[in-house]
Amino acid sequence: MSADAPSLSPNAYRDTWSGQVLGDRVGDRVRLSGWVHRRRDHGGLIFIDLRDRTGIVQLVFNPDESGGSHELGHRLRSEYVISVTGKVVNREPETVNPDLPTGEFEVHVSEAGVLAESDTPPFGIEDYQGEAGEETRLKHRYLDLRREPMREAIELRHRLTTAMRSFLDGEGFLEIETPILTRSTPEGARDFLVPSRLQRGSFYALPQSPQLFKQLLMVSGFERYFQIARCFRDEDLRADRQPDFTQLDIEMSFVDGEDVIALNERLIGHLLAGMGIEIDTPFPRMAYDEAVGRFGSDKPDTRYGYEITDLTECLRGTEFKAFGGVIESGGAVRGINFGQRDLSRAQLDGLIDDAKELGAKGLVWAFREGDGWRAPIAKFLSADELAALNAAMEAEEGDLMLVAADAPAKVASILGGLRTRLAERWDLIPEGVNSLTWIVDWPLFEWVEEEERWNALHHPFTAPAGDLDPENPGDTRAQAYDLVWNGVELGGGSIRINRPEVQSAVFQVLGISAEESAERFGFLLEALHYGAPPHGGIAYGVDRFAALLAGVDSIRDVIAFPKTASGGDPLTGAPAPVDEIQLREAGINLRKPPKPGTS
Ligand code: ASP
């Protein structure tokens, strides 16, 4: 710890960090300040573990050495803030604490003062065992952050963002801030709105990303921009999503996709190396269609196999209606061979519930037995069909196969979801493997069946690869790339449209009329008329990146002051009603809240 300790200018409170009380200081008089981490009062001797940001050191209050301070030692309680002066000595061999870097030493206190008292904390800082619920932890976040794992996660995040800044600075990127009070930036989520007091009835939108501003900065000629940017998306609640979150946002001019990918492989290599993770470059690339076909996901976890096999051709013309009907209506039958699994009937039926949760109408389970199947539905399939299925899934005797039938995109997401669920449940993910993959060759548009319209798969500013065919938008590919790490989307970006007529054509496919695009994005379209260089970039989710590096499950554990899963902040009570005067100033008349159960 001491090697990492920041420099310290001696002052009235201290001249040494707790974590620096090591062998080279034995015999020195030191002045320390911090929190009472733990206190053991043996009547005569009082032991205090003193904690500051750099670590913990043991203080000893001895009636013979500490004079008047010994009395004070009796009064100390957990989390009191104190300042002490004392002499560094070697601990008696039997009292050495091998778990502490300072564990061979202690400070014999000669003077001590209380700087602030503390109420009894609502949960243990020193010996926290997960007993407090998240609500309590967040309500007292300032105490939660005193705990070592939290402090370490926040420190790791700082090291990560510092490494981002220094790498990009070294590559000639400028950090430029873009507005928080702005207009809508379409990234596919709802906007957070802020009413304007000065222009009643008008609203700012908080940025879903700095996308449009970073493109304008390229038009301005800055050529290389980055920002560690706060973004805001009012999305429906999902575990581990925050309404405000942080991106590392990057944009470059006079580049194609290869240039952006190369820069980012250097960046990621540098960031991971700083965290002690060596990674080979270039990273493998996988086309979007392949990712969805083999893994059922555009963020495939390629650390393990159990890939999806298409079985449609094995079953074309089958008498078995559950498969045959789906195939006739243009659907697909696909399956995964999960190898040897010893599961009870109840567990197998449980897999069907898993599949249903993932949107399936049903799921077929089967074990290879001889040339056929041991499965409830085996009798509905012919011997040839069973043999073909076994061959396609390369099943060996006793292997468990899970098969689903549905529209192709649906069956992909069902089996993709099942694959990741079961990989976790059955421990199929190898430890210590890091797999980084670029997903490329994305479609530019996706068809939204319910609304009968095209949607931009990334955002509407992504450049098509080649010409855009307005008659067949679904065939157009995008110059887009996402970086996936162990099945998690770390970042994504694209080459942007830099010619106004192409941008207008994309808006047209998306059903955004000329008037609407002029109204919403007129400033961008106009800027594209003044010499926009070819440009492109990427954005990474910093919270997710830090969480992966810290090895924590939740991004909330790498955010100092996060919201709960329902978007609230138990610490400040946000979001909160505002008073009548504020509403009046903002020109807002609240409607009655909807009745429960309606919206
Ligand atoms: N603005 C995009 C996003 O937030 C990233 C990019 O295209 O650079 O996903």
Side-chain angles (χ1 to χ4, degrees), residues 447-466:
W447 180 247
V448 189
E449 193 60 56
E450 307 82 64
E451 298 168 34
E452 298 208 341
R453 63 172 185 85
W454 292 101
N455 188 30
L457 212 59
H458 276 85
H459 50 58
F461 316 106
T462 302

Side-chain angles (χ1 to χ4, degrees), residues 192-373:
F192 278 104
L193 299 174
V194 179
S196 160
R197 180 180 58 84
L198 298 175
Q199 294 180 36
R200 274 208 178 181
S202 290
F203 293 79
Y204 300 98
L206 303 184
Q208 293 188 32
S209 82
Q211 185 62 37
L212 294 174
F213 288 105
K214 69 174 172 174
Q215 291 192 230
L216 295 178
L217 289 169
M218 296 303 106
V219 180
S220 305
F222 285 103
E223 303 204 20
R224 290 181 195 179
Y225 141 97
F226 84 98
Q227 182 179 193
I228 297 185
R230 205 51 92 76
C231 304
F232 307 85
R233 297 185 190 178
D234 189 3
E235 291 180 283
D236 286 339
L237 303 172
R238 229 202 259 162
D240 224 23
R241 200 180 245 177
Q242 290 282 308
D244 51 340
F245 61 98
T246 307
Q247 282 188 344
L248 168 61
D249 194 43
I250 296 176
E251 198 73 6
M252 318 160 68
S253 291
F254 302 110
V255 289
D256 60 21
E258 291 300 327
D259 299 313
V260 181
I261 284 180
L263 176 274
N264 280 280
E265 289 183 348
R266 290 204 301 282
L267 165 69
I268 298 296
H270 173 83
L271 298 176
L272 293 185
M275 301 285 164
I277 303 172
E278 292 303 327
I279 195 101
D280 290 336
T281 52
F283 306 152
R285 299 182 194 183
M286 193 184 291
Y288 170 86
D289 288 344
E290 185 183 342
V292 173
R294 286 173 55 196
F295 300 95
S297 169
D298 57 14
K299 354 181 201 308
D301 191 337
T302 51
R303 285 174 298 173
Y304 56 95
Y306 307 100
E307 294 183 16
I308 298 170
T309 309
D310 194 273
L311 306 169
T312 314
E313 290 316 312
C314 307
L315 293 163
R316 198 171 286 288
T318 179
E319 303 273 298
F320 182 42
K321 278 279 149 292
F323 289 162
V326 169
I327 295 173
E328 266 164 41
S329 57
V333 183
R334 293 182 193 161
I336 301 179
N337 177 353
F338 276 102
Q340 304 285 315
R341 303 281 145 212
D342 190 16
L343 301 178
S344 68
R345 181 67 193 242
Q347 285 172 313
L348 289 164
D349 288 341
L351 298 178
I352 300 175
D353 297 334
D354 278 300
K356 285 187 177 158
E357 274 172 36
L358 294 162
K361 291 190 214 52
L363 180 79
V364 166
W365 58 259
F367 293 92
R368 176 165 181 174
E369 197 172 66
D371 291 334
W373 275 9

Side-chain angles (χ1 to χ4, degrees), residues 470-492:
E471 297 308 314
N472 284 310
D475 292 343
T476 312
R477 297 277 130 178
Q479 295 190 55
Y481 30 77
D482 273 14
L483 186 58
V484 175
W485 183 10
N486 295 348
V488 176
E489 182 194 329
L490 205 54

